[in-house]
């Protein structure tokens, strides 16, 4: 009995007591989302500290899907075999032959066996099992053992009912499974930053909803299409994402005609945050997330950040606050949002931008502008026009 499978491992060390049950429950949900639409059925089974995926499905597809799951630190293709040293030896030798061909002609490689027992009632200690398997490899392949700097590392894991053998391991996404930390509402524009901020928030266990403000009716639908495409990419990491689109063009014009002047940009941002904050309440989200990075543009000075966040009643999280633009763009490429972010759009923020943007605003100044506009009545009006999309399913 030998069967190909993929092991998903998570950092067990930080998981104690009740946290662990919660973590594993969210992880199971995340795994089943990552397997949605797979080309063949996949069996999922949970062992202590490990989730095992197996089925008649191409290895590449299973690996790609497994590598999307947030909360998984290592993705390890493996062969599952019977629970005896002899079965394990057979699996190790077959795996080596599959990878390196004929022992008579393959070039020698320094190797190490790493044996662990997740279940301690196995008759051999880990050291003895490793010594036995190492001996068999030396016999068959004539390779030198090198525990310090091996070229080939053979991992052997003894479980309750079986043994897993693997020759490789890949990095998983890391972080925490989506939902384990609660819910957040991401303020999503069309640029590079906010989709990366959303990914980092999800990776810390926040299930995310999205809100995008458009300049409609003063601008066309291009920014909505971008937001839609971005949420589709981000949905691969969580499933069930909702995108809320809210037109604020008329409100922006009202701010401009009421004389916001060089406070226009910060006033717009406060209006967005205030509206998003109310929407977050309706959605049960405990925090807002933005792609702000300190000092990146004039609206992102420390003073302006403070003025903007003053308009929110819940925490405003900025996962990228200390990131450089090139770091953000690299991450956008890695998570698959960069291509969408580079598309042109009509961004509502560049609409009605004054020639000089105030960099040292205070909430008091902004409250003055907002009083002229009766901002409290404006928010429910904006929310009445919200359109909800579910981009992941289309
Ligand atoms: P991004 O690359 O995310 O567009 P940016 O560098 O363009 O960010 P700003 O335009 O100052 O910076 O926006 C800062 C943050 O405010 C964005 O990351 C986003 O979270 C939020 N935001 C800006 N415009 C919008 C919008 N139209 N709808 C929703 N959120 C927005
Ligand atoms: Mg932007």
């Amino acid at each position: 009995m030998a069967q190909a499978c993929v092991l998903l491992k998570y950092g067990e060390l930080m998981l104690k007591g009740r946290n662990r049950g919660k973590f594993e429950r969210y992880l199971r949900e995340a795994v089943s989302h990552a397997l949605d639409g797979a080309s063949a059925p996949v069996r999922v089974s949970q062992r202590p500290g490990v989730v095992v995926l197996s089925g008649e499905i191409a290895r590449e597809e299973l690996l790609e899907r497994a590598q999307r799951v947030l909360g998984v630190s290592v993705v390890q293709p493996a062969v599952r075999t019977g629970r005896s040293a002899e079965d394990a030896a057979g699996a190790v030798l077959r795996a080596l032959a599959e990878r390196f061909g004929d022992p008579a002609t393959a070039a020698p490689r320094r190797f190490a066996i790493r044996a662990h027992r997740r279940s301690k009632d196995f008759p051999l200690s880990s050291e003895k099992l490793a010594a036995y398997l190492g001996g068999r490899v030396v016999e068959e392949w004539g390779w030198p053992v090198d525990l310090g700097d091996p070229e080939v590392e053979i991992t052997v894991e003894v479980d309750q009912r079986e043994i897993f053998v693997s020759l490789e391991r890949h990095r998983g996404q890391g972080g925490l499974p989506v939902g384990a930390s609660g819910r957040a509402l991401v303020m999503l524009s069309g640029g590079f930053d906010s989709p990366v901020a959303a990914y980092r928030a999800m990776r810390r266990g926040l299930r995310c909803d999205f809100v995008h403000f458009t300049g409609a009716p003063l601008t066309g639908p291009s920014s909505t299409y971008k937001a839609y495409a971005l949420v589709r990419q981000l949905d691969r990491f969580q499933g069930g994402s909702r995108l809320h689109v809210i037109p604020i063009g008329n409100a922006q014009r009202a701010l401009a005609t009421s004389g916001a002047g060089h406070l226009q940009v910060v006033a717009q941002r406060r209006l967005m945050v205030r509206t998003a904050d109310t929407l977050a309440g309706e959605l049960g989200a405990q925090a807002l997330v933005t792609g702000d990075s300190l000092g990146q543009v004039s609206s992102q000075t420390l003073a302006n950040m403070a003025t903007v966040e003053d308009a929110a009643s819940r925490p405003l999280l900025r996962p990228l606050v200390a990131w450089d633009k090139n770091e953000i763009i690299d991450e956008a490429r890695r998570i698959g949002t960069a291509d969408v972010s580079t598309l042109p759009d009509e961004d509502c923020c560049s609409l009605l931008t004054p020639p000089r943007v105030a960099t040292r605003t205070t909430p008091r100044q902004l409250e003055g502008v907002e009083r002229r506009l009766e901002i409290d009545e404006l928010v429910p009006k904006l929310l009445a026009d919200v359109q909800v999309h579910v981009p992941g399913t289309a």
Side-chain angles (χ1 to χ4, degrees):
M1 164 195 132
Q3 184 197 26
C5 55
V6 172
L7 309 181
L8 306 189
K9 299 186 170 170
Y10 38 96
E12 281 174 273
L13 288 178
M14 54 177 196
L15 292 176
K16 302 210 179 77
R18 283 204 345 216
N19 261 346
R20 176 180 203 120
K22 194 170 101 174
F23 182 99
E24 289 176 347
R25 186 155 44 83
Y26 284 111
L27 190 68
R28 274 197 298 280
E29 271 175 34
V31 168
S32 77
H33 166 66
L35 296 172
D36 269 354
S39 61
V42 176
R43 208 167 37 256
V44 181
S45 67
Q46 173 96 48
R47 308 296 151 81
V50 184
V51 176
V52 183
L53 308 182
S54 55
E56 302 303 314
I57 178 172
R59 205 183 88 115
E60 289 65 36
E61 179 184 348
L62 197 53
L63 261 182
E64 189 276 319
R65 289 178 178 274
Q67 282 182 294
R68 283 185 213 167
V69 181
L70 300 179
V72 169
S73 47
V74 172
V75 175
Q76 189 178 318
V79 169
R80 184 210 313 253
T81 185
R83 197 172 183 271
S84 72
E86 199 37 55
D87 284 329
V92 167
L93 297 176
R94 271 194 307 278
L96 290 176
E98 238 165 64
R99 170 72 61 87
F100 300 105
D102 185 351
T105 53
R109 291 180 167 79
R110 301 184 313 275
F111 82 100
I113 306 270
R114 312 280 188 216
H116 315 279
R117 298 181 307 169
R118 269 195 291 281
S119 145
K120 301 286 179 200
D121 62 345
F122 192 67
L124 295 180
S125 68
S126 302
E127 293 74 26
K128 290 211 167 113
L129 177 61
Y132 169 70
L133 296 173
R136 295 287 302 271
V137 173
V138 171
E139 241 170 66
E140 178 107 359
W141 290 78
W143 287 0
V145 176
D146 184 344
L147 299 184
D149 180 29
E151 293 164 278
V152 179
E153 197 164 41
I154 304 163
T155 308
V156 178
E157 300 173 37
V158 179
D159 229 309
Q160 260 133 13
R161 295 188 305 274
E162 68 253 290
I163 293 180
F164 296 100
V165 169
S166 18
L167 297 187
E168 59 183 289
R169 51 201 276 134
H170 305 276
R171 265 171 70 166
Q173 298 283 334
L176 299 172
V178 162
S181 305
R183 303 185 77 97
L185 178 61
V186 176
M187 300 181 62
L188 188 71
S189 56
F192 284 102
D193 307 338
S194 42
V196 173
Y199 167 79
R200 300 305 286 205
M202 289 191 249
R203 221 180 90 161
R204 285 319 294 168
L206 288 170
R207 169 159 282 284
C208 291
D209 273 300
F210 300 88
V211 60
H212 172 68
F213 295 91
T214 76
L218 310 184
T219 58
S222 59
S223 76
T224 301
Y225 297 165
K226 268 178 91 169
Y228 192 99
L230 289 170
V231 174
R232 252 179 92 77
Q233 284 301 309
L234 292 166
D235 188 67
R236 291 178 303 137
F237 299 107
Q238 65 166 16
S241 310
R242 286 172 297 179
L243 168 64
H244 304 262
V245 177
I246 302 178
I248 59 160
N250 287 332
Q252 288 181 273
R253 188 159 46 195
L255 277 170
T257 50
S258 74
H262 62 290
L263 299 177
Q264 175 78 21
V265 170
V266 177
Q268 285 172 191
R269 199 49 57 74
R270 266 172 71 98
L271 178 60
M272 287 184 197
V273 164
R274 201 184 293 276
T275 309
D277 191 55
T278 307
L279 179 61
E282 291 171 11
L283 299 173
Q286 299 129 315
L288 300 176
V289 173
T290 73
D292 292 315
S293 155
L294 185 59
Q296 196 189 83
V297 291
S298 55
S299 58
Q300 294 174 8
T301 59
L302 197 51
N304 284 348
M305 283 191 186
T307 302
V308 168
E309 104 186 356
D310 171 79
S313 73
R314 60 202 78 229
L316 194 152
L317 307 180
R318 300 180 172 98
L320 308 184
V321 71
W323 287 43
D324 293 346
K325 195 74 186 188
N326 56 342
E327 294 170 324
I328 295 171
I329 292 176
D330 286 349
E331 183 80 334
R333 292 214 176 91
R334 192 180 73 78
I335 64 171
T337 56
D339 288 346
V340 180
S341 292
T342 40
L343 298 172
D345 69 342
E346 283 182 280
D347 177 11
C348 72
C349 297
S350 39
L351 206 66
L352 309 170
T353 304
R356 190 175 70 82
V357 177
T359 52
R360 260 183 276 168
T361 59
T362 63
R364 282 268 305 280
Q365 287 177 302
L366 271 293
E367 280 156 16
V369 176
E370 289 163 1
R371 249 192 313 276
R372 281 177 252 152
L373 217 66
E374 293 177 344
I375 205 97
D376 290 337
E377 289 166 32
L378 197 52
V379 170
K381 277 189 203 144
L382 292 176
L383 284 175
D385 288 339
V386 64
Q387 272 183 24
V388 185
H389 306 268
V390 187
T393 55

